[in-house]
Amino acid sequence: MSEAPSELKYSKSHEWVRLNDDGTVTVGITDHAQELLGDLVYVEVPEPGSELDAEQACAVVESVKAASDVYAPLAGTVLAVNESLADSPEAVNRDAYGDGWIMQLKPADSDAVNDLMDAGEYQKFIETE
Amino acid sequence: MGNKTPLYQAHQAMGAKLVDFAGWDMPIHYGSQIEEHHAVRRAAGMFDVSHMTVVDLHGDNTRRFLRFLLANDVDKLKKTGKALYSCMLNDSGKVLDDLIVYYFSENHFRLVVNSATREKDLDWIVRQAGPFEVQVSERPELAMIAVQGPQARDKVLGLLDDAQRTVAAGLGLFYGAALGDWFIARTGYTGEDGFEIMLPGDTAADLWNALQAAGVQPCGLGCRDTLRLEAGMNLYGSDMDETVSPLVSGLGWTVAWEPQARDFIGRAALEQERAAGPAQKLVGLLLQDKGVLRNHQRVLVQGVGDGEITSGSFSPTLGRSIALARVPAAAGDRCQVEIRGRLLEAKVVKPPFVRNGKAQIELD
């Protein structure tokens, strides 16, 4: 059973979203997603400053076998990216909700995060998917 | 639901993630493809390759038949148990499959062919065998386990009785021998030493479990692919198929041109291509930038033309991305690869990338 912390929000494309105190959000891929992908060997992060639409492909995670897109769970501006993934992509496998974060966004709409699934809804979603 | 090998339950018990492979439910990994890869390079790993198709050929004309069927020449096989790698070509000199042929006796040879091409291969072989009066019989009751890595042979030898151990320990590279109802050969598809063991399916799980108890890592087909790529070994369906010849697939060395009098299927077409000079070649690529080379990415050789990656992946041993690519024959030692609209620099190298645990290319 994959882990899905209750304080986070989730997208149907298996990204997690943490709402920070300053109104920004941190985004990564879920434990379930990293498990499906297997050992990651390369992560391509977006350019800081870029404007993302909701559900826009904005990063790429590559396992030994295949490349998969990461989608913006909500619209916003990229404030920061996890540069350390360039040298240690395996952090996503090891610690998907911590060291394996991918980017920090300033949401275009501060309410958008409420449209995402909570942990319980996400767990149900991956059982039925 | 796909076909299941005799080891299916053992795979489930050992936590395998099972996927469809050419109609078979096969393990892709047992947790971590990269750890399994390293286990084979550094110690010992085992693969269930029971999905592969084993075909026995019987009859007085079997050698003569195989000298016609295969591009390599089975007259190189003089001693019982000796194995040979060969392409099987169609009349146009294109690759129907690649296979291993074992010599047992003048009226008994064995082929091991790919499972994805099973039906096509059997149809072709049966059709060609007719005039030679060679009997073609598939051996679906046999399982096959590959044990590979620097410690692989010792792990297997430790499970044998004294008489068997003497025989198995004495096998040279690319030789095999019968041990009771087993056939054990010093062959593989990883670039490491080891054995491939064919045995009755109903006893395969016992061997598999005994090997695990001896410390051999169960390995999925995922790392089998990265291991063979590092070893510079072709994969049928990716690096060559019915649209290309061995000469543009890095397999010219497997074609036995001598003696000139030997007629084999595809020979005339292949000789024409050789005389004209093959338009392409299969090379190794080492990505200089960060990223991962993948099958079908476009390769650009400045001033020469385009090529394509036939097998690309991340190399766990080198920590870099590597590939096999079909490029114009005039390509030099540099090229670019298009990945998601960007052009990344790659160095053209001569495979293998890794053999016996060690890098065979310069990484700079």
Side-chain angles (χ1 to χ4, degrees):
Chain A
M1 190 69 184
S2 322
E3 199 191 330
S6 59
E7 70 274 20
L8 304 181
K9 294 287 200 170
Y10 300 88
S11 71
K12 287 185 174 171
S13 45
H14 306 288
E15 289 83 20
W16 57 262
V17 176
R18 174 179 286 119
L19 181 58
N20 302 313
D21 292 341
D22 59 2
T24 66
V25 296
T26 305
V27 176
I29 65 166
T30 66
D31 188 42
H32 175 69
Q34 70 78 21
E35 223 175 85
L36 288 181
L37 291 165
D39 296 317
L40 292 189
V41 293
Y42 179 66
V43 178
E44 196 173 282
V45 294
E47 286 290 322
S50 47
E51 307 274 340
L52 304 178
D53 294 329
E55 296 175 19
Q56 180 183 337
C58 59
V60 179
V61 284
E62 301 209 29
S63 68
V64 190
K65 199 63 204 165
S68 307
D69 287 321
V70 177
Y71 300 92
L74 40 76
T77 310
V78 179
L79 297 176
V81 294
N82 187 351
E83 305 279 3
S84 72
L85 294 180
D87 291 317
S88 49
E90 70 279 3
V92 177
N93 296 114
R94 200 181 58 234
D95 189 9
Y97 300 111
D99 292 345
W101 69 280
I102 291 174
M103 59 188 172
Q104 188 191 9
L105 300 180
K106 182 181 181 340
D109 169 3
S110 57
D111 290 335
V113 70
N114 298 321
D115 298 338
L116 297 166
M117 289 181 276
D118 67 23
E121 289 167 332
Y122 179 65
Q123 290 283 19
K124 276 197 201 101
F125 172 73
I126 58 181
E127 278 165 33
T128 56
E129 199 187 24
Chain B
M1 296 299 274
N3 297 314
K4 292 176 178 49
T5 77
L7 295 171
Y8 180 79
Q9 282 174 332
H11 297 321
Q12 285 187 312
M14 291 180 190
K17 181 174 157 57
L18 295 149
V19 299
D20 173 70
F21 182 88
W24 292 79
D25 290 339
M26 299 300 289
I28 185 85
H29 63 71
Y30 298 79
S32 167
Q33 179 174 336
I34 289 182
E35 280 171 30
E36 291 164 22
H37 182 108
H38 290 318
V40 173
R41 288 276 178 253
R42 296 167 185 167
M46 57 182 174
F47 302 84
D48 178 11
V49 285
S50 305
H51 60 301
M52 296 196 74
T53 303
V54 180
V55 183
D56 278 348
L57 303 175
H58 288 277
D60 293 342
N61 298 324
T62 305
R63 183 184 289 272
R64 208 155 61 77
F65 167 57
L66 287 171
R67 293 192 77 204
F68 174 67
L69 183 76
L70 303 179
N72 210 337
D73 188 355
V74 295
D75 256 11
K76 293 174 183 173
L77 303 178
K78 306 283 192 202
K79 290 185 184 165
T80 301
K82 180 73 174 152
L84 182 73
Y85 175 73
S86 180
C87 287
M88 182 165 74
L89 306 178
N90 62 20
D91 292 321
S92 322
K94 306 294 199 275
V95 186
L96 283 173
D97 201 5
D98 65 336
L99 54 82
I100 299 271
V101 53
Y102 294 94
Y103 168 55
F104 290 168
S105 69
E106 278 313 304
N107 58 16
H108 185 193
F109 287 69
R110 173 171 290 175
L111 307 179
V112 179
V113 307
N114 284 298
S115 64
T117 49
R118 174 183 166 274
E119 271 182 55
K120 174 185 84 172
D121 287 3
L122 286 170
D123 287 351
W124 180 258
I125 294 166
V126 167
R127 177 142 61 93
Q128 303 298 337
F132 293 86
E133 296 180 332
V134 166
Q135 292 170 317
V136 180
S137 35
E138 200 185 349
R139 298 291 306 273
E141 79 284 10
L142 292 180
M144 183 157 27
I145 297 173
V147 192
Q148 303 276 293
Q151 298 170 13
R153 289 169 69 230
D154 283 344
K155 297 287 188 192
V156 173
L157 295 175
L159 302 178
L160 304 178
D161 66 34
D162 287 349
Q164 292 174 325
R165 190 178 307 126
T166 305
V167 174
L171 289 172
L173 288 171
F174 250 62
Y175 274 94
L179 295 182
D181 52 10
W182 291 14
F183 180 74
I184 181 168
R186 199 168 162 196
T187 50
Y189 192 46
T190 60
E192 299 296 325
D193 205 344
F195 289 128
E196 291 181 302
I197 302 164
M198 294 177 224
L199 73 173
D202 54 6
T203 61
D206 293 341
L207 174 61
W208 185 263
N209 292 328
L211 285 165
Q212 195 208 21
V216 178
Q217 168 71 48
C219 294
L221 296 183
C223 78
R224 188 169 160 85
D225 191 50
T226 47
L227 288 159
R228 70 89 193 166
L229 178 59
E230 286 185 347
M233 294 171 171
N234 287 33
L235 173 64
Y236 190 81
S238 294
D239 304 307
M240 72 291 195
D241 58 27
E242 280 179 55
T243 68
V244 292
S245 80
L247 305 185
V248 299
S249 307
L251 296 173
W253 63 275
T254 69
V255 178
W257 302 101
E258 301 291 335
Q260 285 185 15
R262 182 176 71 102
D263 182 30
F264 62 84
I265 299 172
R267 174 161 197 147
L270 220 51
E271 283 193 340
Q272 275 186 6
E273 186 183 5
R274 182 166 73 147
Q280 295 164 306
K281 59 183 177 182
L282 196 79
V283 297
L285 300 185
L286 175 68
L287 187 63
Q288 302 299 89
D289 297 309
K290 283 193 183 294
V292 187
L293 302 171
R294 301 288 183 190
N295 300 15
H296 307 304
Q297 284 168 349
R298 187 159 74 105
V299 179
L300 294 83
V301 186
Q302 216 161 30
V304 176
D306 286 1
E308 186 177 295
I309 287 181
T310 54
S311 287
S313 189
F314 175 79
S315 159
T317 305
L318 303 178
R320 295 277 292 274
S321 185
I322 59 170
L324 296 175
R326 186 169 285 109
V327 297
D333 59 358
R334 292 276 155 184
C335 67
Q336 292 177 308
V337 179
E338 186 180 334
I339 303 181
R340 291 186 287 276
R342 287 193 298 150
L343 294 179
L344 302 186
E345 296 294 322
K347 194 163 80 171
V348 177
V349 298
K350 189 174 161 29
F353 302 91
V354 179
R355 272 288 156 94
N356 297 317
K358 294 190 181 60
Q360 304 291 308
I361 56 164
E362 296 283 336
L363 288 182
D364 311 325

